[in-house]
Amino acid sequence: MASERDIFDISGPFYLTFVDWNSPHHRRSVAASLVQGVYVLERDRQLNRGETEALAPPWWKFFHFELIRILIDDADHSIFGAIYQFLPPTSIQNPSTPNAPLNVIAFRGTITKGDAFSRDLKLDLHFLQNGLHQTSRFEIAMQAVRNTFSFAGNHNIWLAGHSLGAAMATLTGKNMAKTGIFLETFLFNPPFFSAPLEQIKDKKVKQGIRIASSLLTAGLSIAMKGHQQIPHLENAFAALSDWVPYLFVNPSDHICSEYIGYFDHRQRMEEIGAGSIEKLATQNSIGDLFLRAMGRESEPLHLLPSANLTVNLSPSPDFKRAHGIHQWWRPDLHLQCKQYRYK
């Protein structure tokens, strides 16, 4: 029995019969739908749903995309990503079409059922250890992004991902940004590994903990640089500041909610005259510093210089919905949006 959440005509944004490619809501909804298409592709594979039974195609065909390549993990042969191409019919006249992407590269997150779970869980652990960049799945994803860029150029390519897939999109987007190529990137519920400070209701306690953490992180950064234990990272961090990915987070989702405090606290530290301390702290994490001290290569994905942060303030009845991809195409969302640029 197919899950209703996989059926586009029941759970998808089928109300978007005309896409305004200048509308943030429409762009977000399409990007999220294409990520959902990857989830359903993998479930179609697991359940041996043939071409006539497959539930995935409507998630991209409804918006006039075609699937041009699936990305397969070399360890378990699961589908973890897809490359789509926008091919609208010539009969449709849409003045906003020049702002549509030519290609979208989308990555799914962890699937907790079926034979993909074991591999996904291992990759989740690699993420927690700041080692996702050392996995074969990342290498496949990175090569796919480079190949797509060589074909289309950077002006019409989107990256999109949810949860673990958002981490993969972050990593590939960061690597492209390091070479001066800034791809439009949509990160849904991107994981931020940290103590769940956003769940603390007392604002003074929460702010006090964040300030203490910033002082500790900045102090460790200075001490370790003095002993030449870590490379000089400020220039590399600043070089990423022109890449401004779109982050979509839910405060009830402890996996991604720390991004709210990460950016808000940085701004508050600047306002109270402690910007230089936070400038060091925002480029490092305590876990990353210790890994580097032990001589281990580490790349913490959650440390971003800039972002367009969108927070879903609509009530979420449980964690599953707060972390789910389906929330991001609802037409009645209560959203708070703010851009943060690293100076």
Side-chain angles (χ1 to χ4, degrees):
M1 190 71 178
S3 168
E4 289 187 354
R5 297 175 67 81
D6 287 350
I7 302 173
F8 181 86
D9 291 340
I10 296 176
S11 300
F14 48 81
Y15 60 87
L16 282 180
T17 55
F18 184 86
V19 176
D20 178 1
W21 292 104
N22 297 318
S23 165
H25 168 60
H26 289 195
R27 293 161 71 87
R28 180 188 71 248
S29 298
V30 172
S33 295
L34 296 178
V35 173
Q36 174 65 0
V38 184
Y39 276 108
V40 185
L41 272 169
E42 170 56 17
R43 284 193 276 268
D44 282 346
R45 183 194 71 85
Q46 290 186 11
L47 297 173
N48 295 314
R49 290 195 284 243
E51 186 175 343
T52 59
E53 302 170 310
L55 299 178
W59 289 96
W60 58 81
K61 286 184 176 292
F62 186 83
F63 303 108
H64 307 298
F65 283 87
E66 292 297 328
L67 178 66
I68 61 173
R69 183 186 167 193
I70 57 174
L71 303 180
I72 299 175
D73 191 289
D74 64 346
D76 67 351
H77 306 293
S78 66
I79 299 170
F80 73 89
I83 304 175
Y84 304 101
Q85 187 171 359
F86 184 53
L87 295 169
T90 55
S91 59
I92 295 180
Q93 300 298 315
N94 185 343
S96 69
T97 295
N99 291 322
L102 175 61
N103 292 107
V104 178
I105 307 167
F107 306 102
R108 66 164 175 83
T110 301
I111 290 182
T112 56
K113 296 179 180 179
D115 55 9
F117 176 60
S118 175
R119 173 63 169 165
D120 288 350
L121 182 60
K122 289 178 182 178
L123 290 163
D124 289 332
L125 294 175
H126 277 291
F127 168 78
L128 294 177
Q129 298 170 350
N130 295 337
L132 194 60
H133 62 292
Q134 297 173 321
T135 65
S136 60
R137 182 179 289 190
F138 163 69
E139 293 296 334
I140 296 168
M142 193 69 246
Q143 192 58 52
V145 173
R146 291 193 183 106
N147 290 345
T148 305
F149 174 78
S150 67
F151 168 74
N154 67 320
H155 298 295
N156 290 309
I157 296 175
W158 286 5
L159 300 176
H162 173 252
S163 194
L164 175 62
M168 195 66 70
T170 302
L171 187 53
T172 54
K174 263 189 173 184
N175 276 19
M176 295 298 284
K178 289 174 183 177
T179 66
I181 299 167
F182 306 113
L183 302 180
E184 193 155 352
T185 305
F186 296 79
L187 307 174
F188 299 100
N189 302 81
F192 189 116
F193 180 55
S194 172
L197 299 184
E198 279 303 304
Q199 307 307 313
I200 299 174
K201 303 302 181 184
D202 191 311
K203 292 184 178 180
K204 290 184 178 179
V205 172
K206 182 162 57 178
Q207 186 176 5
I209 294 173
R210 290 198 184 282
I211 291 174
S213 177
S214 293
L215 291 171
L216 176 60
T217 305
L220 285 171
S221 300
I222 294 170
M224 293 175 70
K225 286 176 184 176
H227 289 85
Q228 298 182 337
Q229 289 176 288
I230 60 173
H232 191 69
L233 298 176
E234 287 90 342
N235 291 338
F237 191 78
L240 293 174
S241 61
D242 288 333
W243 179 53
V244 190
Y246 292 90
L247 273 64
F248 302 96
V249 305
N250 189 312
S252 298
D253 175 12
H254 63 268
I255 290 177
C256 67
S257 62
E258 286 307 303
Y259 272 112
I260 301 171
Y262 172 76
F263 286 108
D264 181 66
H265 176 64
R266 193 168 77 187
Q267 185 176 28
R268 289 180 182 274
M269 290 289 277
E270 291 174 358
E271 291 171 354
I272 65 174
S276 58
I277 293 173
E278 188 58 24
K279 191 174 182 179
L280 274 176
T282 199
Q283 299 173 36
N284 299 282
S285 69
I286 294 176
D288 177 51
L289 290 170
F290 279 114
L291 286 172
R292 290 182 181 275
M294 292 187 291
R296 292 179 59 182
E297 185 181 352
S298 173
E299 183 162 354
L301 295 183
H302 62 278
L303 303 180
L304 295 172
S306 306
N308 287 297
L309 182 66
T310 297
V311 181
N312 181 10
L313 298 177
S314 305
S316 298
D318 51 44
F319 168 76
K320 185 176 181 180
R321 297 193 189 185
H323 188 65
I325 187 72
H326 287 69
Q327 66 185 298
W328 297 113
W329 56 71
R330 283 177 49 192
D332 57 346
L333 291 178
H334 177 201
L335 301 178
Q336 183 182 75
C337 306
K338 189 171 184 177
Q339 185 181 88
Y340 296 90
R341 296 298 294 262
Y342 182 77
K343 299 177 182 178

